[in-house]
Amino acid sequence: MKFTSTGSAAVSASDLSEAIIKGIAPDGGLYVPTQLPALTVSDFDGLESLPGIAERLLAPFVAGSALEPELAAICREALNFPAPLVALDRAPGPASVLELFHGPTCAFKDFGARFLAASLERVTPRSRRGSAQRLTILVATSGDTGGAVAAAFYKRPWVEIALLYPKGRVSDRQAQQLACWGDNVRTFAVSGSFDDCHRVVNEAFRDPELARSHALSSANSINLGRLLPQMSYYAAAALQIWRREGRKPGFIIPAGNLGNAVAGIWAREIGLPIGDIVLATNENRTIADYMDGGSWRPRPGVPTLASAMDVGNPSNVHRLRWLYEDDDRVRERVSAYSVTDQEIRAAIAGDAASLGYAWCPHGATAAHVYRMLARRRAHQHWILVATAHPAKFNDIVEPLLGRPVAVPPALERLLNLPRQEQEIPPALESLRARLLS
């Protein structure tokens, strides 16, 4: 399979290995396949495990690349933890929660980060091991991405990780997860927003001085190695409902930089039995306003309780618009609703009592949107995507629940490690100086 750039069809990557190593296209666009493959439900007959479903789903994307003979091993290594579908028996209509927080950093980013690390392990060391110019992965994170990437790449000798996160705009436990590593992981607390972090990273990719000294790549959802494996849990969940009920479930997806949402949308367009896809955003209304008929108008991110979604200029919209080609078609296929902090609080407190389920602030956006939709589309089986464990946001969740949230063992271990980070302003010059030192 060949890949091109959302910026220009003239820019291409020869295969998925090249696209993953580069991370972002030379023109600053995002890599996309020249054409999405077509699969049917019967292509997944006999497959129930997440690694098995992922291998079948991703086979067309790795065809012809160095990853093709390694795909089965990569899926087994990277996707070795569950993504259970939990029924909400007390919900007002048919509903389940897709829990994506059972990995090593208790967030959905573990799926893509581990797949990317396992893929690069197989294609990068051949050219970089022993080289003075090791691969350097730059990551702008609004919370969970950085921790997942750090865990996935920690102590791999052929790579260095540079994490940039907005200081004071993630939860205390998220910040600890970002800054507890050391070794080949360097963490930078940026005095600005996530969009500032993202801008600095994009400027670094275009910086001639860094290009001479570092082989740069990305592990944000702009990298296809992060995004593609995320299709697998949508496929697995949809197949489970289809086989049991004979109908296509709808998904309600918390949306920030849109990587997770695009993964679900691509899974549907490839041929998985997925019905409506609805995006739940926080008070950063860029996506919701656009889906409501407005023009595409990026704006500065504003801080909310759902901090990992505080994105005012989500980069993966370029993949969405590439797929559907015009704005009206996008709105026909996807909808979005904005959720306020007050509504997030109400969903966390209310659903703990009425459903017996504890949300993190991001999952709570999906829960609020579900309540809106259940009244109008009660016949549809809705799958609410839970992207992070509520214990990562204990300072928000526990006062609303009136009780502590049990900390998973994987998170407990990270919380007890020493913190190591540097504070920098939101400027390329500052990041460049740290990377060159």
Side-chain angles (χ1 to χ4, degrees):
M1 179 178 285
K2 305 296 183 184
F3 297 84
T4 188
S5 169
T6 56
S8 170
V11 177
S12 64
S14 59
D15 58 30
L16 184 60
S17 299
E18 181 184 350
I20 286 178
I21 291 171
K22 289 181 177 178
I24 191 169
D27 66 345
L30 307 186
Y31 281 119
V32 291
T34 53
Q35 184 176 359
L36 286 176
L39 298 173
T40 66
V41 171
S42 62
D43 290 322
F44 297 88
D45 286 351
L47 298 175
E48 295 185 1
S49 72
L50 188 62
I53 290 171
E55 181 185 355
R56 180 66 189 90
L57 180 63
L58 300 180
F61 294 91
V62 303
S65 75
L67 293 171
E68 186 173 12
E70 301 281 354
L71 180 60
I74 291 170
C75 291
R76 288 194 301 269
E77 174 186 331
L79 309 179
N80 63 347
F81 53 93
L85 200 56
V86 178
L88 289 175
D89 295 327
R90 291 154 57 183
S96 302
V97 181
L98 179 57
E99 292 187 343
L100 302 179
F101 50 69
H102 295 281
T105 68
C106 304
F108 79 96
K109 307 293 179 76
D110 285 320
F111 292 92
R114 287 170 61 82
F115 185 93
L116 178 61
S119 298
L120 286 173
E121 180 80 48
R122 288 159 170 82
V123 297
T124 300
R126 298 166 188 169
S127 60
R128 293 294 172 195
R129 186 170 284 139
S131 170
Q133 193 188 53
R134 289 198 296 175
L135 185 68
T136 298
I137 293 180
L138 301 180
V139 182
T141 179
S142 54
D144 291 325
T145 294
V149 170
F153 286 90
Y154 182 54
K155 288 192 173 181
R156 294 185 189 252
W158 48 271
V159 64
E160 295 177 343
I161 306 297
L163 305 179
L164 286 74
Y165 81 91
K167 181 177 174 59
R169 297 200 183 189
V170 303
S171 76
D172 288 342
R173 286 182 173 175
Q174 282 183 307
Q176 170 65 20
Q177 278 192 308
L178 294 171
C180 66
W181 303 97
D183 198 83
N184 65 325
V185 179
R186 301 174 68 184
T187 304
F188 301 101
V190 178
S191 55
S193 66
F194 168 76
D195 292 312
D196 290 323
C197 298
H198 194 259
R199 171 182 52 78
V200 171
V201 165
N202 283 340
E203 290 172 353
F205 277 110
R206 299 191 296 269
D207 184 62
E209 189 172 356
L210 284 175
R212 288 190 296 270
S213 60
H214 291 69
L216 298 178
S217 188
S218 168
N220 283 86
S221 57
I222 59 176
N223 193 311
L224 278 175
R226 269 276 317 280
L227 188 150
L228 290 176
Q230 294 178 160
M231 293 192 300
S232 61
Y233 46 72
Y234 290 107
L239 287 167
Q240 185 174 333
I241 298 299
W242 176 261
R243 290 164 176 168
R244 189 174 70 212
E245 302 178 8
R247 57 177 167 175
K248 299 178 180 180
F251 283 84
I252 305 175
I253 306 172
N257 203 33
L258 288 182
N260 196 25
V262 168
I265 292 163
W266 281 11
R268 179 177 66 182
E269 298 303 322
I270 285 170
L272 273 301
I274 295 173
D276 294 335
I277 291 181
V278 181
L279 310 184
T281 76
N282 57 21
E283 291 181 89
N284 289 275
R285 294 189 51 88
T286 304
I287 288 295
D289 289 345
Y290 166 66
M291 293 296 185
D292 199 33
S295 60
W296 177 249
R297 189 170 65 86
R299 62 205 74 170
V302 297
T304 73
L305 294 179
S307 56
M309 296 156 54
D310 291 346
V311 183
N313 186 14
S315 57
N316 277 288
V317 74
H318 299 296
R319 287 188 169 122
L320 195 58
R321 298 172 90 178
W322 161 83
L323 175 64
Y324 293 125
E325 296 184 345
D326 68 71
D327 293 343
D328 289 339
R329 180 63 174 160
V330 173
R331 295 171 186 130
E332 287 175 8
R333 299 294 287 159
V334 186
S335 58
Y337 297 90
S338 176
V339 182
T340 68
D341 278 359
Q342 181 179 352
E343 290 164 339
I344 289 173
R345 291 188 183 95
I348 294 172
D351 284 0
S354 63
L355 301 183
Y357 197 89
W359 304 104
C360 89
H362 310 82
T365 66
H368 176 79
V369 171
Y370 166 69
R371 293 283 187 181
M372 297 167 49
L373 296 176
R375 292 191 294 269
R376 303 201 303 268
R377 295 183 236 179
H379 65 284
Q380 183 157 9
H381 190 128
W382 287 105
I383 296 178
L384 288 65
V385 179
T387 55
H389 196 285
K392 299 184 75 168
F393 303 89
N394 61 305
D395 53 340
I396 296 170
V397 174
E398 291 181 352
L400 294 168
L401 300 184
R403 58 175 174 82
V405 175
V407 179
L411 177 57
E412 184 71 38
R413 183 183 70 82
L414 298 180
L415 296 179
N416 290 324
L417 296 174
R419 193 156 165 171
Q420 306 174 61
E421 66 182 13
Q422 301 175 59
E423 295 185 21
I424 64 170
L428 172 63
E429 295 77 13
S430 298
L431 177 63
R432 183 199 299 122
R434 301 310 193 280
L435 293 179
L436 294 176
S437 63

